Amino acid sequence: MKENNRSKFASKIGVILASAGSAVGLGNIWRFPTEAGENGGAAFILIYICCILLLGLPVMISEFLIGRHTHANASTAFEQLAPKRKQWRWVGRLGVLSGIMIFSFYSVVAGWTVNYTVEAGLNRFNQMVGDGQENVYAQYFNSFVTDPIMPTLYLVLFILLTHFVVARGIEKGIERFSKLMMPTLFLLLLVLAGFALTTQGAAEGLKFLFQPDFSKIDSSVILSAMGQAFFSLSIGLGCLCTYASYFRKEVNLTRTAGSVALIDTFVAIVSGLIIFPAVFSVPGMEPTEGPSLVFVALPNIFHIVFADMPILAYTLPFLFYFLLILASLTSTISMHELITAYVHETYHLSRKKTTYLVTGIVLVLGVLCSLSLGIGSEYTIGGLGLFDIFDYLTAKWMLPIGGLLTALFTGWYLDRKIVWEEITNQGTLRFYGFRVFMFILKFITPLGIFLIFLDQLGAFNWF
Ligand code: PHE
């Protein structure tokens, strides 16, 4: 599948599934319930959806059109579109750096999902007996993530899995893998949601998810929702720009972006439908549990809710964590590809060697991230270990900066004709509302993102 000597996705559905595969991941199934739980549920979700529409979609469409127009990696793409202003390529380079950092800490959590799948497969969660003082699942989680050996081994295994798929190239590796995995993922999620809705906490879980309490909205809720939108859509670092460089000229960019955003939001909400009914089914469990929600609350809940149905108590946690591995893998593949495409095309290293190099770098950083939660926890900067630093810098700063600059580039710098041609496929597609789109891209999106920074810097207290 070559055109201009560069690989391409072979089918339209492959394009959508690969992009959605990048977007759907731990961000939806692990981070979204955490954020929604900590920020009051339904009201957060409402704002999150507004952020997807007004900030996320315009940035995603921008990334798509920049990538597809240039058929180049994120940095070269900006360079080609702004030959007189080479500084723009730093947007792409910043994105590659974000990619390396996210890949490193994300793989740690992805490694945990591998461990949890194995433990669930061995039926360990149903055999754990605590001392009655502390939650046995919390005990297990804490001792596991701080262990120097096991999380590291699973992290290495997970990164090697990613490496294997990327090494197979665009069509054979990424596209085929996504085509198989994404539908499996949806099916499993829906089945689990179906079971969750039969639990006794279902009504309360649904209320938490869908009945907004507007008194809960404050500046931090709005800002968390914006950050979550960026992270979850995989935008602001050039991942989707890189994928779009493998799109054919027939691909409808706005429709693809719309589908990806829809699928991503759908998976996040279905994850909420799995987790919150479950949380409310266990006495004493709160939705504000935090990042351990998926790893502590869920095994606990499965165990209690299905106490009389050992088969379900065994299979459901296994399916759930297995599904998390798949979702994480389609995301780390896109991070790996972002970095690999950049290094391969910029430094003219063979694709194979580049793949090894990238895997090597991420292995080292990933192991350090993992150790920073346990034996390396005394090495901190500003009170944060490496894992937290990478998380904080990328999600809170680098992705929004990348998104802001991308929106400014497409809205203000790029020739409007290029934007029009890419969006309408040289005038062959109808696109009503182009002016509205340009208005949002030029003003609403950059301004919205800019507010994140002002607030992070403590500049105001508006809301
Ligand atoms: N969007 C992915 C998720 O939800 C994470 C991701 C971030 C992937 C940035 C690629 C780039 O899990």
Side-chain angles (χ1 to χ4, degrees):
M1 280 299 131
K2 302 257 169 165
E3 197 180 280
N4 304 337
N5 252 343
R6 207 160 183 274
S7 304
K8 291 269 154 48
F9 285 114
S11 67
K12 276 190 196 161
I13 191 76
V15 160
I16 294 178
L17 290 181
S19 311
S22 167
V24 174
L26 290 169
N28 308 61
I29 300 171
W30 168 65
R31 200 172 189 273
F32 175 80
T34 304
E35 292 284 308
E38 283 176 343
N39 290 292
F44 168 90
I45 295 173
L46 219 62
I47 301 168
Y48 170 74
I49 291 173
C50 293
C51 292
I52 296 268
L53 293 175
L54 292 176
L55 311 183
L57 263 177
V59 171
M60 194 191 290
I61 295 172
S62 302
E63 286 199 20
F64 274 168
L65 71 90
I66 291 170
R68 207 241 327 243
H69 188 77
T70 53
H71 291 306
N73 67 82
S75 164
T76 311
F78 280 97
E79 206 174 319
Q80 279 184 15
L81 289 171
K84 295 213 187 84
R85 291 211 182 271
K86 290 236 184 259
Q87 307 90 299
W88 280 109
R89 68 178 173 203
W90 283 97
V91 180
R93 291 178 176 181
L94 177 78
V96 172
L97 186 64
S98 308
I100 295 175
M101 291 161 75
I102 295 179
F103 195 175
S104 305
F105 82 83
Y106 193 95
S107 302
V108 175
V109 184
W112 299 347
T113 68
V114 181
N115 171 68
Y116 270 64
T117 308
V118 172
E119 295 284 333
L122 296 171
N123 204 17
R124 292 265 167 76
F125 294 121
N126 291 312
Q127 293 156 359
M128 287 179 186
V129 188
D131 53 12
Q133 301 286 324
E134 206 193 330
N135 183 320
V136 61
Y137 299 102
Q139 253 173 8
Y140 172 78
F141 177 75
N142 292 330
S143 71
F144 170 70
V145 300
T146 51
D147 182 75
I149 312 284
M150 290 316 281
T152 311
L153 286 181
Y154 282 116
L155 161 110
V156 171
L157 182 72
F158 184 84
I159 294 177
L160 291 180
L161 268 175
T162 309
H163 174 92
F164 178 72
V165 180
V166 176
R168 288 176 64 90
I170 296 303
E171 197 206 331
K172 278 208 211 98
I174 298 174
E175 186 171 355
R176 272 191 210 165
F177 185 81
S178 304
K179 259 191 194 165
L180 181 71
M181 292 310 169
M182 292 300 289
T184 319
L185 180 76
F186 290 147
L187 209 70
L188 286 175
L189 273 178
L190 286 174
V191 168
L192 286 182
F195 279 116
L197 290 176
T198 62
T199 60
Q200 55 170 25
E204 214 173 329
L206 287 177
K207 202 170 135 210
F208 183 77
L209 272 175
F210 296 120
Q211 206 177 79
D213 172 359
F214 290 105
S215 69
K216 295 239 170 88
I217 298 178
D218 62 13
S219 74
S220 84
V221 172
I222 294 175
L223 297 167
S224 307
M226 282 203 239
Q228 176 59 21
F230 262 88
F231 189 84
S232 191
L233 290 177
S234 310
I235 51 174
L237 75 169
C239 261
L240 296 184
C241 176
T242 307
Y243 268 13
S245 73
Y246 306 117
F247 288 1
R248 293 166 181 284
K249 61 182 190 314
E250 300 83 27
V251 174
N252 184 334
L253 296 185
T254 47
R255 192 183 290 170
T256 305
S259 311
V260 171
L262 201 72
I263 293 171
D264 190 66
T265 311
F266 177 76
V267 173
I269 292 187
V270 176
S271 306
L273 284 176
I274 296 171
I275 289 170
F276 292 112
V279 166
F280 287 109
S281 299
V282 177
M285 198 141 279
E286 297 293 333
T288 46
E289 207 86 359
S292 62
L293 205 60
V294 166
F295 293 103
V296 175
L298 267 187
N300 201 338
I301 288 151
F302 280 129
H303 180 56
I304 295 175
V305 172
F306 299 109
D308 300 332
M309 293 174 270
I311 295 207
L312 294 184
Y314 171 75
T315 43
L316 293 189
F318 177 75
L319 282 179
F320 185 81
Y321 291 111
F322 178 64
L323 185 142
L324 263 183
I325 300 181
L326 302 187
S328 313
L329 204 49
T330 48
S331 297
T332 49
I333 288 167
S334 74
M335 300 173 205
H336 199 305
E337 183 58 32
L338 162 81
I339 312 161
T340 300
Y342 167 71
V343 177
H344 169 55
E345 289 172 13
T346 310
Y347 301 102
H348 306 292
L349 206 63
S350 78
R351 201 181 143 98
K352 195 167 171 199
K353 277 194 193 136
T354 311
T355 316
Y356 279 107
L357 180 72
V358 173
T359 301
I361 292 172
V362 174
L363 272 176
V364 173
L365 290 174
V367 169
L368 292 177
C369 280
S370 182
L371 295 179
S372 78
L373 297 172
I375 55 167
S377 59
E378 73 262 32
Y379 300 102
T380 58
I381 301 174
L384 298 177
L386 196 64
F387 180 100
D388 294 321
I389 290 173
F390 277 9
D391 183 350
Y392 171 78
L393 282 182
T394 51
K396 295 239 161 65
W397 292 95
M398 295 162 76
L399 296 192
I401 289 175
L404 173 66
L405 293 173
T406 306
L408 290 176
F409 181 80
T410 318
W412 295 90
Y413 185 83
L414 197 61
D415 189 346
R416 213 179 156 99
K417 207 171 133 236
I418 295 183
V419 179
W420 167 256
E421 280 177 0
E422 283 300 329
I423 282 184
T424 62
N425 287 353
Q426 323 296 326
T428 56
L429 299 172
R430 281 172 202 275
F431 186 69
Y432 303 108
F434 184 67
R435 280 183 184 196
V436 178
F437 170 73
M438 285 310 284
F439 178 80
I440 295 176
L441 190 62
K442 279 177 118 153
F443 299 101
I444 310 275
T445 308
L447 215 65
I449 299 168
F450 190 60
L451 295 182
I452 298 177
F453 298 130
L454 286 191
D455 192 86
Q456 296 283 344
L457 296 168
F460 56 79
N461 243 332
W462 281 1
F463 299 104

